[in-house]
Amino acid sequence: MSIRKWYHLFWTTLLIGAATAVLAGLLLQAANGGIEFKSTADLLIYPLILLGYGMLVSVYAQLGFFAYLILNYMGIGVFPRKAWQYIQLVLAVLALLELVFLRTFVGGDRNGVSDLILGIGILLTALIVSYFKVRSTNATAAVPTFFFMTAITIVETVGVLQIGVDSATVFIVVPLIACNAFQILRLHRILKPKQPL
């Protein structure tokens, strides 16, 4: 990957994160009305704060993406390709089960409905993104894409899951999933060599 291609991926992912964070923040504000704006300046500054936050989330998502690429490269080097796919599949399922069930059992009085909804949302998103990745490339991309969209996304959301506030979870998960989906679906197009004229 050249610097110019990485630069393109970086800025487009940054824009995706910013746009989805603004959208998620405004929808949460419309649904919850949790923030009271005292002046017009507050009303104008709020989208700017959402924009900056979305950019931070996109950078965080990009760090996770490049960490996954390194992990995948090492996994392919250590394990046979078929075994590495099974390992990724098992880890993805374990991450989903941990997200949905473990916090409910360990948390005691915590309501597990939000964890179940989050787990189902991540699972459905991972299946949809994997489907489009396979259509764009080949069948061998299904398991790595599914693993990235489930296990890596769940690892990236651990910090906000510890807060235990559903609005905060939605606020970080929406731009994070959008950035992760964009990156994994865009990767093969960026790495594809240019056709000679």
Side-chain angles (χ1 to χ4, degrees), residues 94-127:
L94 287 175
L96 281 168
L97 290 174
E98 191 278 330
L99 174 68
V100 173
F101 296 114
L102 187 64
R103 287 195 325 142
T104 303
F105 296 133
V106 174
D109 59 348
R110 179 163 169 74
N111 183 4
V113 174
S114 60
D115 291 339
L116 184 63
I117 291 170
L118 178 62
I120 291 171
I122 289 175
L123 174 64
L124 290 176
T125 305
L127 291 172

mmCIF file of all heavy atoms in Angstrom, residues 94-127:
data_model
loop_
_atom_site.group_PDB
_atom_site.id
_atom_site.type_symbol
_atom_site.label_atom_id
_atom_site.label_comp_id
_atom_site.label_asym_id
_atom_site.label_seq_id
_atom_site.Cartn_x
_atom_site.Cartn_y
_atom_site.Cartn_z
ATOM 1 N N LEU A 94 -17.059 -16.700 19.926
ATOM 2 C CA LEU A 94 -16.807 -16.480 21.354
ATOM 3 C C LEU A 94 -16.973 -15.018 21.736
ATOM 4 O O LEU A 94 -17.522 -14.704 22.794
ATOM 5 C CB LEU A 94 -15.410 -16.971 21.733
ATOM 6 C CG LEU A 94 -15.218 -18.484 21.781
ATOM 7 C CD1 LEU A 94 -13.760 -18.825 22.039
ATOM 8 C CD2 LEU A 94 -16.115 -19.110 22.851
ATOM 9 N N ALA A 95 -16.510 -14.109 20.889
ATOM 10 C CA ALA A 95 -16.665 -12.673 21.170
ATOM 11 C C ALA A 95 -18.135 -12.284 21.205
ATOM 12 O O ALA A 95 -18.569 -11.533 22.084
ATOM 13 C CB ALA A 95 -15.910 -11.853 20.126
ATOM 14 N N LEU A 96 -18.923 -12.819 20.271
ATOM 15 C CA LEU A 96 -20.361 -12.525 20.273
ATOM 16 C C LEU A 96 -21.045 -13.089 21.509
ATOM 17 O O LEU A 96 -21.882 -12.424 22.126
ATOM 18 C CB LEU A 96 -21.008 -13.092 19.007
ATOM 19 C CG LEU A 96 -20.823 -12.272 17.739
ATOM 20 C CD1 LEU A 96 -21.242 -13.068 16.521
ATOM 21 C CD2 LEU A 96 -21.612 -10.977 17.821
ATOM 22 N N LEU A 97 -20.697 -14.317 21.882
ATOM 23 C CA LEU A 97 -21.294 -14.917 23.081
ATOM 24 C C LEU A 97 -20.910 -14.144 24.331
ATOM 25 O O LEU A 97 -21.735 -13.937 25.229
ATOM 26 C CB LEU A 97 -20.873 -16.381 23.206
ATOM 27 C CG LEU A 97 -21.480 -17.331 22.168
ATOM 28 C CD1 LEU A 97 -20.885 -18.721 22.304
ATOM 29 C CD2 LEU A 97 -22.992 -17.382 22.304
ATOM 30 N N GLU A 98 -19.671 -13.705 24.394
ATOM 31 C CA GLU A 98 -19.228 -12.924 25.553
ATOM 32 C C GLU A 98 -19.996 -11.613 25.624
ATOM 33 O O GLU A 98 -20.437 -11.187 26.686
ATOM 34 C CB GLU A 98 -17.720 -12.647 25.455
ATOM 35 C CG GLU A 98 -17.106 -12.073 26.710
ATOM 36 C CD GLU A 98 -17.289 -10.575 26.834
ATOM 37 O OE1 GLU A 98 -17.365 -9.882 25.815
ATOM 38 O OE2 GLU A 98 -17.375 -10.107 27.988
ATOM 39 N N LEU A 99 -20.191 -10.975 24.490
ATOM 40 C CA LEU A 99 -20.912 -9.705 24.460
ATOM 41 C C LEU A 99 -22.355 -9.880 24.909
ATOM 42 O O LEU A 99 -22.876 -9.096 25.695
ATOM 43 C CB LEU A 99 -20.880 -9.124 23.043
ATOM 44 C CG LEU A 99 -21.711 -7.868 22.819
ATOM 45 C CD1 LEU A 99 -21.113 -6.697 23.578
ATOM 46 C CD2 LEU A 99 -21.810 -7.554 21.342
ATOM 47 N N VAL A 100 -22.990 -10.934 24.432
ATOM 48 C CA VAL A 100 -24.418 -11.107 24.688
ATOM 49 C C VAL A 100 -24.687 -11.681 26.072
ATOM 50 O O VAL A 100 -25.590 -11.228 26.774
ATOM 51 C CB VAL A 100 -25.044 -12.003 23.592
ATOM 52 C CG1 VAL A 100 -26.484 -12.339 23.920
ATOM 53 C CG2 VAL A 100 -24.952 -11.325 22.245
ATOM 54 N N PHE A 101 -23.886 -12.678 26.502
ATOM 55 C CA PHE A 101 -24.258 -13.403 27.716
ATOM 56 C C PHE A 101 -23.398 -13.116 28.935
ATOM 57 O O PHE A 101 -23.916 -13.025 30.042
ATOM 58 C CB PHE A 101 -24.236 -14.916 27.449
ATOM 59 C CG PHE A 101 -25.252 -15.347 26.450
ATOM 60 C CD1 PHE A 101 -24.876 -15.854 25.221
ATOM 61 C CD2 PHE A 101 -26.599 -15.239 26.735
ATOM 62 C CE1 PHE A 101 -25.823 -16.239 24.295
ATOM 63 C CE2 PHE A 101 -27.553 -15.628 25.815
ATOM 64 C CZ PHE A 101 -27.165 -16.128 24.596
ATOM 65 N N LEU A 102 -22.128 -12.991 28.775
ATOM 66 C CA LEU A 102 -21.246 -12.930 29.941
ATOM 67 C C LEU A 102 -21.534 -11.728 30.816
ATOM 68 O O LEU A 102 -21.614 -11.852 32.045
ATOM 69 C CB LEU A 102 -19.782 -12.934 29.498
ATOM 70 C CG LEU A 102 -18.777 -13.048 30.638
ATOM 71 C CD1 LEU A 102 -18.940 -14.388 31.336
ATOM 72 C CD2 LEU A 102 -17.366 -12.887 30.137
ATOM 73 N N ARG A 103 -21.719 -10.560 30.230
ATOM 74 C CA ARG A 103 -21.977 -9.372 31.053
ATOM 75 C C ARG A 103 -23.303 -9.481 31.787
ATOM 76 O O ARG A 103 -23.454 -8.964 32.884
ATOM 77 C CB ARG A 103 -21.963 -8.112 30.188
ATOM 78 C CG ARG A 103 -20.576 -7.753 29.757
ATOM 79 C CD ARG A 103 -20.442 -6.363 29.219
ATOM 80 N NE ARG A 103 -21.570 -5.865 28.470
ATOM 81 C CZ ARG A 103 -21.993 -4.608 28.528
ATOM 82 N NH1 ARG A 103 -21.383 -3.741 29.297
ATOM 83 N NH2 ARG A 103 -23.011 -4.200 27.806
ATOM 84 N N THR A 104 -24.256 -10.183 31.213
ATOM 85 C CA THR A 104 -25.538 -10.363 31.886
ATOM 86 C C THR A 104 -25.372 -11.227 33.125
ATOM 87 O O THR A 104 -25.906 -10.923 34.193
ATOM 88 C CB THR A 104 -26.555 -11.019 30.930
ATOM 89 O OG1 THR A 104 -26.665 -10.206 29.765
ATOM 90 C CG2 THR A 104 -27.893 -11.177 31.580
ATOM 91 N N PHE A 105 -24.588 -12.312 32.991
ATOM 92 C CA PHE A 105 -24.403 -13.205 34.129
ATOM 93 C C PHE A 105 -23.506 -12.601 35.200
ATOM 94 O O PHE A 105 -23.739 -12.745 36.381
ATOM 95 C CB PHE A 105 -23.822 -14.543 33.666
ATOM 96 C CG PHE A 105 -24.749 -15.307 32.763
ATOM 97 C CD1 PHE A 105 -24.287 -15.868 31.591
ATOM 98 C CD2 PHE A 105 -26.090 -15.450 33.072
ATOM 99 C CE1 PHE A 105 -25.135 -16.570 30.751
ATOM 100 C CE2 PHE A 105 -26.947 -16.133 32.235
ATOM 101 C CZ PHE A 105 -26.473 -16.698 31.079
ATOM 102 N N VAL A 106 -22.465 -11.901 34.766
ATOM 103 C CA VAL A 106 -21.510 -11.333 35.715
ATOM 104 C C VAL A 106 -22.053 -10.052 36.326
ATOM 105 O O VAL A 106 -21.812 -9.763 37.494
ATOM 106 C CB VAL A 106 -20.151 -11.068 35.010
ATOM 107 C CG1 VAL A 106 -19.191 -10.345 35.908
ATOM 108 C CG2 VAL A 106 -19.555 -12.385 34.560
ATOM 109 N N GLY A 107 -22.821 -9.283 35.526
ATOM 110 C CA GLY A 107 -23.282 -7.972 35.973
ATOM 111 C C GLY A 107 -24.355 -8.013 37.032
ATOM 112 O O GLY A 107 -24.660 -6.999 37.632
ATOM 113 N N GLY A 108 -24.949 -9.135 37.283
ATOM 114 C CA GLY A 108 -25.959 -9.220 38.324
ATOM 115 C C GLY A 108 -27.268 -8.585 37.910
ATOM 116 O O GLY A 108 -28.052 -9.171 37.176
ATOM 117 N N ASP A 109 -27.515 -7.341 38.368
ATOM 118 C CA ASP A 109 -28.803 -6.695 38.126
ATOM 119 C C ASP A 109 -28.892 -6.019 36.758
ATOM 120 O O ASP A 109 -29.888 -5.400 36.438
ATOM 121 C CB ASP A 109 -29.084 -5.663 39.222
ATOM 122 C CG ASP A 109 -28.001 -4.586 39.282
ATOM 123 O OD1 ASP A 109 -26.940 -4.755 38.659
ATOM 124 O OD2 ASP A 109 -28.234 -3.586 39.987
ATOM 125 N N ARG A 110 -27.892 -6.145 35.954
ATOM 126 C CA ARG A 110 -27.878 -5.508 34.638
ATOM 127 C C ARG A 110 -28.902 -6.158 33.709
ATOM 128 O O ARG A 110 -29.023 -7.369 33.649
ATOM 129 C CB ARG A 110 -26.478 -5.613 34.029
ATOM 130 C CG ARG A 110 -26.426 -4.995 32.649
ATOM 131 C CD ARG A 110 -25.040 -4.718 32.205
ATOM 132 N NE ARG A 110 -25.003 -4.362 30.802
ATOM 133 C CZ ARG A 110 -25.404 -3.216 30.303
ATOM 134 N NH1 ARG A 110 -25.884 -2.305 31.105
ATOM 135 N NH2 ARG A 110 -25.333 -2.970 29.015
ATOM 136 N N ASN A 111 -29.602 -5.332 32.964
ATOM 137 C CA ASN A 111 -30.573 -5.811 31.993
ATOM 138 C C ASN A 111 -29.830 -6.243 30.734
ATOM 139 O O ASN A 111 -29.093 -5.465 30.141
ATOM 140 C CB ASN A 111 -31.578 -4.696 31.688
ATOM 141 C CG ASN A 111 -32.670 -5.143 30.745
ATOM 142 O OD1 ASN A 111 -32.732 -6.309 30.356
ATOM 143 N ND2 ASN A 111 -33.526 -4.225 30.371
ATOM 144 N N GLY A 112 -30.020 -7.477 30.309
ATOM 145 C CA GLY A 112 -29.281 -8.010 29.175
ATOM 146 C C GLY A 112 -29.907 -7.745 27.823
ATOM 147 O O GLY A 112 -29.356 -8.145 26.800
ATOM 148 N N VAL A 113 -31.047 -7.045 27.773
ATOM 149 C CA VAL A 113 -31.727 -6.800 26.502
ATOM 150 C C VAL A 113 -30.867 -5.936 25.589
ATOM 151 O O VAL A 113 -30.736 -6.206 24.396
ATOM 152 C CB VAL A 113 -33.113 -6.153 26.739
ATOM 153 C CG1 VAL A 113 -33.761 -5.764 25.428
ATOM 154 C CG2 VAL A 113 -34.007 -7.092 27.523
ATOM 155 N N SER A 114 -30.248 -4.895 26.148
ATOM 156 C CA SER A 114 -29.423 -4.017 25.311
ATOM 157 C C SER A 114 -28.200 -4.760 24.774
ATOM 158 O O SER A 114 -27.780 -4.535 23.644
ATOM 159 C CB SER A 114 -29.003 -2.771 26.081
ATOM 160 O OG SER A 114 -28.249 -3.123 27.220
ATOM 161 N N ASP A 115 -27.620 -5.661 25.591
ATOM 162 C CA ASP A 115 -26.490 -6.464 25.112
ATOM 163 C C ASP A 115 -26.929 -7.411 24.006
ATOM 164 O O ASP A 115 -26.192 -7.617 23.033
ATOM 165 C CB ASP A 115 -25.879 -7.280 26.259
ATOM 166 C CG ASP A 115 -25.173 -6.412 27.283
ATOM 167 O OD1 ASP A 115 -24.813 -5.271 26.937
ATOM 168 O OD2 ASP A 115 -24.985 -6.868 28.415
ATOM 169 N N LEU A 116 -28.109 -7.984 24.144
ATOM 170 C CA LEU A 116 -28.638 -8.883 23.124
ATOM 171 C C LEU A 116 -28.888 -8.128 21.814
ATOM 172 O O LEU A 116 -28.521 -8.595 20.732
ATOM 173 C CB LEU A 116 -29.923 -9.546 23.611
ATOM 174 C CG LEU A 116 -30.556 -10.579 22.697
ATOM 175 C CD1 LEU A 116 -29.620 -11.761 22.496
ATOM 176 C CD2 LEU A 116 -31.882 -11.053 23.260
ATOM 177 N N ILE A 117 -29.472 -6.938 21.908
ATOM 178 C CA ILE A 117 -29.731 -6.129 20.716
ATOM 179 C C ILE A 117 -28.420 -5.726 20.057
ATOM 180 O O ILE A 117 -28.279 -5.793 18.823
ATOM 181 C CB ILE A 117 -30.577 -4.887 21.083
ATOM 182 C CG1 ILE A 117 -31.983 -5.324 21.473
ATOM 183 C CG2 ILE A 117 -30.618 -3.894 19.923
ATOM 184 C CD1 ILE A 117 -32.835 -4.233 22.067
ATOM 185 N N LEU A 118 -27.435 -5.327 20.864
ATOM 186 C CA LEU A 118 -26.133 -4.951 20.321
ATOM 187 C C LEU A 118 -25.467 -6.142 19.635
ATOM 188 O O LEU A 118 -24.939 -6.010 18.531
ATOM 189 C CB LEU A 118 -25.231 -4.402 21.431
ATOM 190 C CG LEU A 118 -23.818 -4.004 21.012
ATOM 191 C CD1 LEU A 118 -23.850 -2.887 19.975
ATOM 192 C CD2 LEU A 118 -23.017 -3.582 22.230
ATOM 193 N N GLY A 119 -25.511 -7.308 20.276
ATOM 194 C CA GLY A 119 -24.913 -8.510 19.688
ATOM 195 C C GLY A 119 -25.573 -8.901 18.371
ATOM 196 O O GLY A 119 -24.892 -9.229 17.391
ATOM 197 N N ILE A 120 -26.901 -8.848 18.334
ATOM 198 C CA ILE A 120 -27.624 -9.180 17.099
ATOM 199 C C ILE A 120 -27.316 -8.148 16.015
ATOM 200 O O ILE A 120 -27.125 -8.495 14.845
ATOM 201 C CB ILE A 120 -29.140 -9.285 17.369
ATOM 202 C CG1 ILE A 120 -29.425 -10.523 18.225
ATOM 203 C CG2 ILE A 120 -29.935 -9.324 16.070
ATOM 204 C CD1 ILE A 120 -30.847 -10.615 18.735
ATOM 205 N N GLY A 121 -27.223 -6.876 16.405
ATOM 206 C CA GLY A 121 -26.893 -5.828 15.441
ATOM 207 C C GLY A 121 -25.514 -6.020 14.834
ATOM 208 O O GLY A 121 -25.333 -5.897 13.615
ATOM 209 N N ILE A 122 -24.535 -6.330 15.685
ATOM 210 C CA ILE A 122 -23.179 -6.569 15.182
ATOM 211 C C ILE A 122 -23.143 -7.813 14.306
ATOM 212 O O ILE A 122 -22.498 -7.838 13.262
ATOM 213 C CB ILE A 122 -22.180 -6.660 16.350
ATOM 214 C CG1 ILE A 122 -21.982 -5.268 16.972
ATOM 215 C CG2 ILE A 122 -20.843 -7.232 15.906
ATOM 216 C CD1 ILE A 122 -21.119 -5.242 18.207
ATOM 217 N N LEU A 123 -23.856 -8.867 14.713
ATOM 218 C CA LEU A 123 -23.899 -10.106 13.928
ATOM 219 C C LEU A 123 -24.512 -9.863 12.545
ATOM 220 O O LEU A 123 -23.946 -10.285 11.524
ATOM 221 C CB LEU A 123 -24.685 -11.178 14.674
ATOM 222 C CG LEU A 123 -24.944 -12.482 13.915
ATOM 223 C CD1 LEU A 123 -23.633 -13.198 13.616
ATOM 224 C CD2 LEU A 123 -25.880 -13.382 14.708
ATOM 225 N N LEU A 124 -25.656 -9.178 12.503
ATOM 226 C CA LEU A 124 -26.307 -8.922 11.211
ATOM 227 C C LEU A 124 -25.443 -8.033 10.323
ATOM 228 O O LEU A 124 -25.321 -8.281 9.114
ATOM 229 C CB LEU A 124 -27.680 -8.268 11.434
ATOM 230 C CG LEU A 124 -28.745 -9.169 12.044
ATOM 231 C CD1 LEU A 124 -30.025 -8.391 12.305
ATOM 232 C CD2 LEU A 124 -29.018 -10.365 11.156
ATOM 233 N N THR A 125 -24.828 -7.024 10.920
ATOM 234 C CA THR A 125 -23.939 -6.158 10.147
ATOM 235 C C THR A 125 -22.765 -6.950 9.591
ATOM 236 O O THR A 125 -22.382 -6.780 8.427
ATOM 237 C CB THR A 125 -23.425 -4.997 11.013
ATOM 238 O OG1 THR A 125 -24.545 -4.302 11.560
ATOM 239 C CG2 THR A 125 -22.582 -4.042 10.208
ATOM 240 N N ALA A 126 -22.186 -7.827 10.412
ATOM 241 C CA ALA A 126 -21.050 -8.639 9.970
ATOM 242 C C ALA A 126 -21.451 -9.559 8.819
ATOM 243 O O ALA A 126 -20.690 -9.728 7.854
ATOM 244 C CB ALA A 126 -20.495 -9.453 11.131
ATOM 245 N N LEU A 127 -22.630 -10.144 8.904
ATOM 246 C CA LEU A 127 -23.097 -11.023 7.826
ATOM 247 C C LEU A 127 -23.326 -10.247 6.530
ATOM 248 O O LEU A 127 -22.955 -10.704 5.440
ATOM 249 C CB LEU A 127 -24.377 -11.747 8.248
ATOM 250 C CG LEU A 127 -24.218 -12.798 9.349
ATOM 251 C CD1 LEU A 127 -25.582 -13.296 9.811
ATOM 252 C CD2 LEU A 127 -23.352 -13.953 8.877
#
